[in-house]
Each structure stands twice: as structure tokens, then as C-alpha cells.
Amino acid sequence: MIALQINKKEIISLWIPIGIIILILFIAYPLALAILCGYFLHPITNFFYNKFKIPIILSVLLTEFLILSGILLLLFFLVQSLIDLIPLIHSHVVKIPVIELKRLPIFSMFEEEFQTILNNIMNNLLIYITHLPSYFFELFLFSMGLFLSLHESLKNRLWFLVYLPKKTRGFSERALKKSSGVMNKFISVEVKLFLLTFILLTIGFAILGLHQPLKYAFLVSLVDSIPFLGTGLILIPLSIYFFLLNQHTVGIIILLLYVFVQLTRHIVESMLWSSSMQIKAVHVFFLSAAAILIFGVIGILFSPFIYLIANKWIGITKSS
């Protein structure tokens, strides 16, 4: 009877408040994202405030300005590069022998698939356009929330934990510290992999004699660094294009470049995660493969936390 009363008390005082908070965070996700971004961007604001003695409000505004400027510059570069690519793609597409390809049975299958993909893109685009006012409102709330979160984080970085029950504050604080450490390692590994892919593709494109190899290597490397995408999204269609033009040598070289970049990237990625998480590279490979098999492609995002759990598990088994 006493145990039952204790359980009821824990449910009322501990789990119900946590459930309500999680539900609110899912519904008001722009505000939840603003709080998390304020927590992770705190070191930048703190650097301006403590190192250069800039007032709190100016430090927060400078942090937001730097983040926003970086995003806008990246978007501007991508849009400009895509605008430059359109005439280039058009000049190459007109060279494809469409009349000869229509005679092949596989052409109709690809045509239907392409039409389906194009219809899905147009439908999603229309949905996004109709929801633009709500997106702007959410962006406004996120910007205001990020400003207030960064401002409050300079006083107390874990200010938002005050709404959690006392029993879970310590655990939540430790979890956030571990998560920030994993995020720092994840960003460090991704930046190194981006630079590696960029260098390899620049050399490959320069050898092939492609126009502006630096720009296109940067674009492909950027696509490769985005979760769920990869160099194959661009290099494989490019290889197929040269095969269709009967330039088999160039198509094979691009295909070999894709395989070489992917193998090198995966080997270096395993080594980097092995060094960061202090687990063997072979374990990193099997854990990554297991994460993809269990969670699907989204398992890529969970991999760093799985490495951390594996590291802790190895420590527990050694001590026991």
C-alpha cells in the first residue's frame, strides 16, 4: 500500500510535469528550438561578452547577426551557383539523344518515375507556399525566443531547467552537457569530412577539366554533408549523362571518383569517430550499420549518441 502511494506521488510530482513539458515542446517547437539554440550558441555570446567586454544586448545581437549572415551568405552562394548551372545544364541536356533513348523500354519507366517526382515536388511547393505566413510567424517567434534565450543564458545557461522537477534537474543537466560534447565532436568530424571531400573532388574535377572545379566541388561537398544526401546525388547522374553521350571513359572516371571519395570518406569517418569516442573503428562501422538498419536513414543522425552509449557500455563491462 505504501509502495502504491509512493508510485502515485512520483507520477503526480515527477512524470506528469515532465510529460506536460515534452508535449508543450513538441507543439511549440519554434520556441523549443530557440531554447536549444540559445544553449548551444551560448559560448559565442559568452566570448563576445567576457573577452571583448561588449554589453549583453550587443553581444546577443552580434551572435544572431553572425549566424543569420552566415546562413544568408550560404543561401546566396547556393542560389547564385544554381543560376550559373541552369545554362550549363541546358547546354548539356540538349546533347542527349532523346529520340534514340525513347526506343529503349527502360526509358518509359524512367519517364514515369521522373514525372511522379516532379508532381510530388510541385505539390509540396504549393503546400509550402500556402503555409508561408505561418512560417514567417514561426520564424519571428524563433528569432525573439533566441534573443531572450541567449540573453538569459549569460546569467544562467541552464535557466530553462527551473520548470523541471528537482529530481530530474541533475540528470537533465548531465544529459545536456553530454549532448553538447557530442554535438561539438559531431561538428568537428563533419567539418573535417567536408574539407576532405572538397579537396578530393576539386582534384578530380580539375583532372577531368571541368569548368570552375572549386565552385562545383564545394557544391557537391555541401550536398554530401547534408544528412540523407551524398555525392552520389550529383556524381551518379553526371556519370550516366556521359555514358548516354557515348563518352564512356569520362563516365567511368566519374564513377570511380565517386567510389573513391565514398570509400575514403567512410574510412576517415570511422577513424575520426574512433579517435573522438575512444572506440575501435570496426565498432564504429558496425554501430553505424546497425543504426541505419534499425532506424532507417535517420539513424545517421543518431550515430554519435550511439557511439557515446557504446563507449559508456564498454566502460561498464570493463569495470564489472
Side-chain angles (χ1 to χ4, degrees):
M1 190 68 180
I2 295 173
L4 183 62
Q5 290 177 354
I6 292 172
N7 290 336
K8 284 183 178 179
K9 187 177 180 181
E10 286 185 354
I11 289 171
I12 294 171
S13 64
L14 183 63
W15 295 111
I16 289 179
I18 291 174
I20 293 171
I21 291 169
I22 292 173
L23 182 63
I24 292 172
L25 291 179
F26 271 107
I27 295 172
Y29 60 89
L31 300 179
L33 186 62
I35 293 172
L36 285 176
C37 288
Y39 175 82
F40 287 113
L41 294 175
H42 165 76
I44 301 175
T45 312
N46 191 51
F47 175 77
F48 291 137
Y49 178 67
N50 289 324
K51 190 72 175 179
F52 297 103
K53 306 301 179 183
I54 300 174
I56 293 178
I57 294 177
L58 291 179
S59 298
V60 172
L61 289 174
L62 186 58
T63 303
E64 286 203 88
F65 174 76
L66 287 176
I67 299 299
L68 183 62
S69 300
I71 294 172
L72 290 176
L73 283 173
L74 182 61
L75 289 174
F76 175 77
F77 174 79
L78 289 174
V79 171
Q80 187 184 32
S81 300
L82 289 173
I83 291 172
D84 295 338
L85 273 175
I86 289 172
L88 183 65
I89 292 172
H90 179 265
S91 63
H92 284 287
V93 167
V94 294
K95 297 178 182 178
I96 298 175
V98 180
I99 298 174
E100 296 178 7
L101 290 174
K102 281 185 177 180
R103 299 172 186 171
L104 300 174
I106 199 171
F107 180 82
S108 59
M109 184 184 70
F110 277 111
E111 189 178 21
E112 290 175 3
E113 289 293 329
F114 179 75
Q115 191 67 36
T116 303
I117 293 170
L118 190 62
N119 290 334
N120 290 333
I121 291 172
M122 292 302 296
N123 291 332
N124 292 331
L125 187 62
L126 288 173
I127 292 171
Y128 288 136
I129 291 173
T130 55
H131 287 83
L132 269 179
S134 63
Y135 292 149
F136 280 117
F137 180 67
E138 290 173 359
L139 182 63
F140 172 75
L141 290 179
F142 171 78
S143 302
M144 291 298 298
L146 180 60
F147 176 84
L148 296 172
S149 179
L150 287 170
H151 187 277
E152 196 65 27
S153 294
L154 284 175
K155 304 172 186 177
N156 179 15
R157 192 178 182 184
L158 300 171
W159 60 273
F160 50 89
L161 294 183
V162 70
Y163 294 101
L164 291 175
K166 288 184 179 180
K167 292 182 180 180
T168 58
R169 286 180 197 172
F171 171 77
S172 301
E173 184 176 348
R174 291 192 299 271
L176 282 170
K177 287 181 179 178
K178 288 290 182 183
S179 299
S180 59
V182 172
M183 287 297 296
N184 291 335
K185 291 176 182 178
F186 176 77
I187 293 170
S188 174
V189 170
E190 288 300 317
V191 168
K192 291 174 183 176
L193 291 174
F194 172 82
L195 292 174
L196 173 68
T197 307
F198 173 70
I199 292 169
L200 292 176
L201 289 175
T202 302
I203 296 170
F205 289 166
I207 292 172
L208 286 169
L210 294 180
H211 181 62
Q212 295 182 334
L214 284 172
K215 178 185 284 187
Y216 298 135
F218 180 84
L219 280 173
V220 179
S221 303
L222 188 64
V223 171
D224 185 61
S225 63
I226 299 172
F228 318 127
L229 302 179
T231 53
L233 188 67
I234 297 175
L235 293 185
I236 290 177
L238 189 63
S239 176
I240 294 171
Y241 163 77
F242 283 108
F243 272 107
L244 292 175
L245 292 181
N246 291 322
Q247 298 182 20
H248 298 155
T249 304
V250 180
I252 291 171
I253 291 172
I254 292 174
L255 197 61
L256 290 174
L257 176 64
Y258 164 70
V259 173
F260 176 72
V261 169
Q262 286 298 103
L263 286 175
T264 306
R265 193 181 188 282
H266 285 303
I267 291 170
V268 173
E269 185 178 12
S270 298
M271 293 172 62
L272 290 173
W273 279 117
S274 174
S275 175
S276 299
M277 294 297 183
Q278 298 179 352
I279 54 178
K280 293 183 178 180
V282 64
H283 295 178
V284 171
F285 168 76
F286 280 103
L287 289 170
S288 301
I292 294 172
L293 289 173
I294 295 170
F295 301 105
V297 183
I298 200 172
I300 297 170
L301 299 177
F302 297 149
S303 296
F305 297 98
I306 293 172
Y307 303 150
L308 178 64
I309 294 170
N311 186 11
K312 296 298 180 184
W313 184 265
I314 291 170
I316 292 170
T317 54
K318 282 182 179 179
S319 62
S320 61

